[in-house]
Structure formats: structure tokens, C-alpha cells
Amino acid sequence: MSKLRRQVSSHIPNVIETRSLVSIKKKTGNLYESIAIIAKRANQINIAIREELHSKLDEFASHTDSLEEIHENKEQIEISKAYERMPNPAILATEEFMEDKVYFRKNEDDLFV
């Protein structure tokens, strides 16, 4: 089991939880900046999950072009269902952000004063 799947299966619920905007804003001092950080982390998680899923499903890929040879593989279906049951990357990213597990920094040189 991958590191990401172990992290997901540990304690993060699969449902959306209401968050206080004030608590999200407190992390950076700016609500929109906090949301941008969460969105970037969600994108990173999504890419990692997608790559992991594709690498697992590539093991089952047949490289024949015949339509008659398409068959269902129960292991492939179970892997796909397991990934479908995982929480949304935005939920994971928000949870990481609220638990201070996301590293972010401001580049002061890029700001116009």
C-alpha cells in the first residue's frame, strides 16, 4: 500500500466538513491566499493519486487491438473502486493545511510595494 493511501485511510473522513473561514484565514492572514495554497496542494495530491492509479492499472493492460479480447479483470475493478472511495484531493489538502502539514512561503521579492 502506498504512503498516500495509508495516510488517507488513517483518519480523514470521506465527507465534506464545514470549516470556519476565520480559522482558514488565521493560517496566512489572508483567506484567498489560504485557499490558493489549499488548491495548489489539492492539485499535487490529485496528480500523485492519478499517477499511482495509472501505474497500477498498467499492469493489467493488454496491448492487443482486438475488441473480442476485452475482458473484465476483478483485481483491476477492485483497485479502481478503492481509488473511487478515497476522499477528494481538496478534502485531503484542507485537512493537511489545517493540521500545519503543508509547507508554504511568500516570496517577498515578487510583491509590488
Side-chain angles (χ1 to χ4, degrees):
M1 186 181 281
S2 73
K3 180 182 171 188
L4 184 62
R5 295 242 350 244
R6 277 191 300 264
Q7 172 189 352
V8 168
S9 62
S10 64
H11 69 284
I12 298 176
N14 202 8
V15 294
I16 296 173
E17 181 180 311
T18 305
R19 298 285 182 169
S20 167
L21 294 180
V22 174
S23 64
I24 293 174
K25 181 184 174 183
K26 265 186 210 176
K27 301 286 184 178
T28 61
N30 184 335
L31 177 63
Y32 300 106
E33 185 177 349
S34 296
I35 291 172
I37 292 168
I38 292 170
K40 287 180 182 181
R41 179 64 184 138
N43 191 29
Q44 291 172 344
I45 292 171
N46 189 33
I47 290 169
I49 290 173
R50 189 178 331 128
E51 287 175 354
E52 186 178 320
L53 176 62
H54 285 297
S55 69
K56 287 184 180 187
L57 292 180
D58 281 344
E59 297 173 6
F60 300 105
S62 64
H63 299 290
T64 59
D65 292 337
S66 174
L67 291 176
E68 291 84 27
E69 294 182 18
I70 296 175
H71 62 282
E72 292 182 1
N73 188 335
K74 290 192 184 287
E75 292 175 17
Q76 184 178 4
I77 293 170
E78 288 302 316
I79 290 172
S80 296
K81 285 183 180 180
Y83 278 87
E84 286 176 6
R85 287 189 295 266
M86 288 176 66
N88 187 306
I91 295 172
L92 296 173
T94 304
E95 192 70 28
E96 286 181 2
F97 183 75
M98 296 306 289
E99 294 177 358
D100 295 324
K101 294 181 179 177
V102 177
Y103 171 76
F104 60 91
R105 63 189 168 111
K106 279 188 185 180
N107 190 355
E108 298 295 333
D109 297 336
D110 291 343
L111 298 177
F112 296 103
V113 181

